[in-house]
Amino acid sequence: MPSHTFSVNGESVTVDAPDDMPLLWVLRDLLGVRGPKYGCGIDVCKACTSHLDGQAVNPCVVPVSDAEGRDVTTIEGLADGDRLHPVQEAWLAQDVAQCGYCQPGQIMAAVALLRRTENPSDEDIDAIANVCRCGTYFRIREAIKKAASMMR
Ligand code: FES
Ligand code: FES
């Protein structure tokens, strides 16, 4: 079984797994990192959104071999110790979550968007396309705008 070494939330990890095992499986089942959620497994719902070298990816369709030597960040790695990321603060302030299932992915997608765009438009935000079956889209939009103003 090949072994793969990469960083997860700032810590180096080595796992034995087939090259083509999805990174989401490795995170959740082998490493116990369960913030990224499993929804569809086919790059549609985006519940699993995490970052690879700071870019939003959907690890259900990223083979673990692609993570070799790279930095994986999940929702667990977003806060700085006890200090929440501004996007997390904004999420709480706007009381975004309902059932919560999609929310780690929504927040990770929002953080990646705000890295690319300081002042995102409604169209930029809607382009994230993470699915929320509870329909929290309006509050997500408000929270991203609030976070953008906090980060400027
Ligand atoms: S689980 Fe749906 S995109 Fe990854
Ligand atoms: S908060 Fe329930 S799926 Fe989004």
Side-chain angles (χ1 to χ4, degrees):
M1 183 90 70
S3 90
H4 307 276
T5 299
F6 50 97
S7 149
V8 177
N9 298 328
E11 288 192 16
S12 179
V13 297
T14 299
V15 293
D16 294 330
D19 287 343
D20 62 353
M21 179 179 274
L23 180 59
L24 182 62
W25 278 221
V26 172
L27 289 169
R28 290 182 56 85
D29 296 344
L30 302 186
L31 298 172
V33 179
R34 301 211 171 90
K37 296 293 183 267
Y38 171 65
C40 65
I42 54 169
D43 199 18
V44 172
C45 73
K46 308 193 187 304
C48 62
T49 305
S50 302
H51 295 175
L52 194 56
D53 291 341
Q55 309 265 336
V57 296
N58 295 312
C60 65
V61 291
V62 174
V64 64
S65 55
D66 279 12
E68 195 72 51
R70 300 174 72 185
D71 294 324
V72 177
T73 308
T74 68
I75 189 77
E76 288 91 340
L78 204 53
D80 181 8
D82 289 340
R83 210 179 66 210
L84 293 178
H85 188 283
V87 171
Q88 293 172 303
E89 296 279 11
W91 237 251
L92 288 173
Q94 298 305 123
D95 200 15
V96 174
Q98 288 195 29
C99 81
Y101 197 81
C102 73
Q103 299 292 320
Q106 302 280 8
I107 290 172
M108 296 307 283
V111 170
L113 171 65
L114 290 170
R115 280 197 189 127
R116 300 192 303 274
T117 315
E118 263 188 16
N119 190 16
S121 64
D122 289 347
E123 290 71 31
D124 294 329
I125 293 171
D126 293 346
I128 286 178
N130 284 47
V131 173
C132 176
R133 67 182 179 177
C134 300
T136 63
Y137 300 111
F138 180 77
R139 294 204 297 269
I140 287 170
R141 203 187 260 187
E142 295 302 304
I144 291 176
K145 288 181 177 173
K146 184 178 185 71
S149 67
M150 290 161 71
M151 292 167 74
R152 280 199 288 272

